[in-house]
Amino acid sequence: MRIITGKYKGRHFDIPRTFKARPTTDFAKENIFNVLTGYIDFDGAAALDLFAGTGSISLELLSRGCSEVVSVEKDRDHHRFIVQCVGKLNAGGVRCVRADAFSYIARCRRKFAIIFADPPYALRELPAIPDLIFERELLAGGGIFVFEHGKEHDFSQHRHFVEHRSYGSVNFTLFRQPIIQPA
C-alpha cells in the first residue's frame, strides 16, 4: 500500500497477508482523488473514513492536507495496523477509532467536509449507508461523500447523487450536501 501524493507521497506500508481487508487499488485511489480535487479543498478539511480497513484512504486524506481524519475500523488487527502506520509517519491529525461503523454513525455528533465509506461489498446493509450519512447530518454544507461499492448497486436516483465513477471492479458514487443559504 502506498500514499499517492501530498506530504507523504511515495510512503509504502506492507499489509500483513492475514488481513481480510482489500485496500483500494492505487489506480482507483489516484483517479478518485483526482476527481475529488474538482469538488473539495483538502487543506484544513475534517474527514471521516468509515470501514477504514488498511487505512489507505485515511493516510491519503492526511497526506493531501486534511487537518483531521477520523479513521473508523472495528477489526482489532486492522485498527492496530492503522495506528502503526500513522505512528511511522510521525503525524498528528488522525484519530483511530476502533468501532463498528454503524455504531459510530449513530453516535456521531459532528460534521465532516469529506466522508469516505468502503464497506465490504457483500455487506447486507450496504444500500442503506448513504441515507444514514444524510439522516444523521454528518456531512457539512458543500461536503462530499465518497461511497465505494460493487457494480451491482446503483445510487444515481439518490437525491444527493453527484456522479458515479468506475475503475475496473471498483465503483465510487459521489454525493454532495448542498450549502444552505440563510434566508
Side-chain angles (χ1 to χ4, degrees), residues 5-26:
T5 199
K7 182 178 180 179
Y8 302 110
K9 177 181 179 178
R11 294 292 299 267
H12 287 264
F13 300 93
D14 294 324
I15 300 168
R17 295 190 187 277
T18 58
F19 273 24
K20 300 171 284 249
R22 47 157 179 72
T24 302
T25 65
D26 284 353

Side-chain angles (χ1 to χ4, degrees), residues 124-168:
R124 186 176 44 88
E125 300 90 351
L126 184 144
I129 294 171
D131 287 334
L132 289 173
I133 295 297
F134 289 100
E135 287 167 9
R136 297 293 304 158
E137 299 179 355
L138 299 182
L139 203 55
I144 293 290
F145 170 42
V146 183
F147 192 38
E148 185 174 337
H149 56 85
K151 64 183 177 193
E152 62 279 356
H153 296 286
D154 178 5
F155 297 96
S156 62
Q157 299 306 308
H158 193 280
R159 68 186 185 112
H160 294 287
F161 173 83
V162 175
E163 72 173 284
H164 173 263
R165 296 288 178 122
S166 178
Y167 305 104

